[in-house]
Amino acid sequence: MRRSLLFLVFSCLALSACVQTPQLITKQRDPGTGPFLIGTGTGAGLYHFLGQEICRNYALDYAVDSSSCDTLVQRKSESKLRLLQSQILDLAIVDSAWVRSAANGIGPFTNTGPMNDLRGVMSFYAQPLTVVVKRNSDITEFDQLTNARLISTTNSYNDATFSLLRNMKGWTDASFLSLEKVKSLRTALDAFCEGEADAMVATSAHPSGFVQQATAECGGRLLPIEDPRIADEIADNPALALASIPPKMYVGQSGRIPTFGHRTLLVARSDTPDAVVEAVVNAVLDNLSTIKKRHPAFVELNPREMVSAGLPVALHPAAEAIYRREGILR
């Protein structure tokens, strides 16, 4: 009887230890962030997928409940930045052009003034200027684009980036055989496919379904965008960065296509808790090889670029500390 009782007590203690062990591990690994919220984009968009990837890896890395990191679907970048400023969001995924506007109090932020407490956390994939011309066209260099019937969108990123190039070249609307501006990339693509335009200008992450259709179904090919003065533009506007479209991403494309444009950024406020920023940065860096496999747009993510490319604001101190400790930033 005594032996049975001792065995029962020992078994209960052992079972108790087994039950408590996972809780102990969770407590040890919990970064102490509390729940936090990342503003993303539309539910079907790449911004939202990126936000979910960050949260997924955070939850796995720290063995916490997935609800500790959550995403808020918000289409407009301006709205995300204002929600970040009002402390409804802890982090936001936005285009670098919007970050520059908010930080400098220009564009839509003119009346409210600069967001002086805006800080960078990480730079992700590029959203570069992309030019598609007809495959049978004689246009092989960007300087020859004036020989084309051109169609472009009035998207603010697209308009602003293409305007930089036009100003650099001294081109006006009248410099082209024709220049039509339309509201949507779908309209531009339809015109290109129907032979109403020789060239199409778009700003997009890659791979892009629109560019895929233009090259695979509508006889298009990518045009390199190269000019030594682009480096000067980037020096004057840190929201811009050099970029390239990886080889064999589209039909008929063998080599890398150089271009430039804005970047997709993860930003925070200066008072976003260090624990939140540290946990997010570590979750991305620790799982970068896995993240790269999750979407073709992530394939060429490079830590050296992710700490500075297209970043028009100072890094959050917690992020900077990790990058320096890891030797990514010197």
Side-chain angles (χ1 to χ4, degrees), residues 133-134 136 148-151 178 180 187-200 214 217-220:
V133 299
K134 289 295 185 180
N136 58 4
R149 295 172 301 157
L150 188 63
I151 190 161
S178 66
E180 182 182 1
T187 303
L189 176 64
D190 288 344
F192 180 81
C193 292
E194 291 167 10
E196 297 171 5
D198 307 309
M200 176 180 75
E217 302 175 20
C218 304

Side-chain angles (χ1 to χ4, degrees), residues 75-299:
R75 185 176 66 85
K76 293 184 178 180
S77 292
E78 180 184 352
S79 300
K80 280 182 281 189
L81 288 165
R82 295 197 186 282
L83 289 172
L84 179 67
Q85 186 177 35
S86 61
Q87 300 188 345
I88 293 172
L89 293 175
D90 301 285
L91 301 152
I93 298 172
V94 289
D95 182 281
S96 57
W98 278 99
V99 174
R100 180 173 180 262
S101 295
N104 290 281
I106 58 178
F109 299 91
T110 302
N111 293 332
T112 53
M115 289 178 60
N116 295 317
D117 61 345
L118 197 55
R119 296 293 180 268
V121 175
M122 193 168 281
S123 174
F124 285 92
Y125 54 89
Q127 301 178 66
L129 192 68
T130 306
V131 179
V132 184
V133 299
K134 289 295 185 180
R135 196 170 296 137
N136 58 4
S137 167
D138 293 330
I139 300 170
T140 58
E141 298 178 358
F142 187 74
D143 284 345
Q144 298 171 325
L145 200 59
T146 52
N147 300 327
R149 295 172 301 157
L150 188 63
I151 190 161
S152 180
T153 69
T154 54
N155 172 289
S156 57
Y157 311 145
N158 192 67
D159 235 9
T161 313
F162 189 46
S163 291
L164 283 176
L165 276 178
R166 290 197 298 161
N167 293 338
M168 186 190 305
K169 298 288 188 183
W171 293 343
T172 66
D173 288 2
S175 298
F176 307 94
L177 287 183
S178 66
L179 174 60
E180 182 182 1
K181 294 182 180 181
V182 294
K183 288 185 177 180
S184 74
L185 190 50
R186 167 52 61 187
T187 303
L189 176 64
D190 288 344
F192 180 81
C193 292
E194 291 167 10
E196 297 171 5
D198 307 309
M200 176 180 75
V201 178
T203 302
S204 175
H206 293 281
S208 160
F210 291 105
V211 177
Q212 183 63 46
Q213 185 176 343
T215 55
E217 302 175 20
C218 304
R221 59 177 165 81
L222 296 168
L223 187 69
I225 301 175
E226 295 180 288
D227 190 293
R229 289 170 291 184
I230 290 175
D232 295 331
E233 293 291 344
I234 292 173
D236 291 337
N237 182 354
L240 296 170
L242 291 174
S244 63
I245 302 169
K248 300 180 180 179
M249 184 161 277
Y250 298 106
V251 173
Q253 177 202 351
S254 57
R256 188 173 290 275
I257 305 295
T259 180
F260 79 108
H262 297 109
R263 299 276 295 202
T264 299
L265 304 182
L266 179 66
V267 294
R269 297 182 312 278
S270 57
D271 66 349
T272 297
D274 287 358
V276 170
V277 175
E278 288 168 0
V280 166
V281 170
N282 284 327
V284 172
L285 293 181
D286 291 347
N287 299 284
L288 191 56
S289 59
T290 301
I291 292 172
K292 287 169 141 186
K293 298 173 185 175
R294 296 283 290 171
H295 193 283
F298 304 158
V299 167

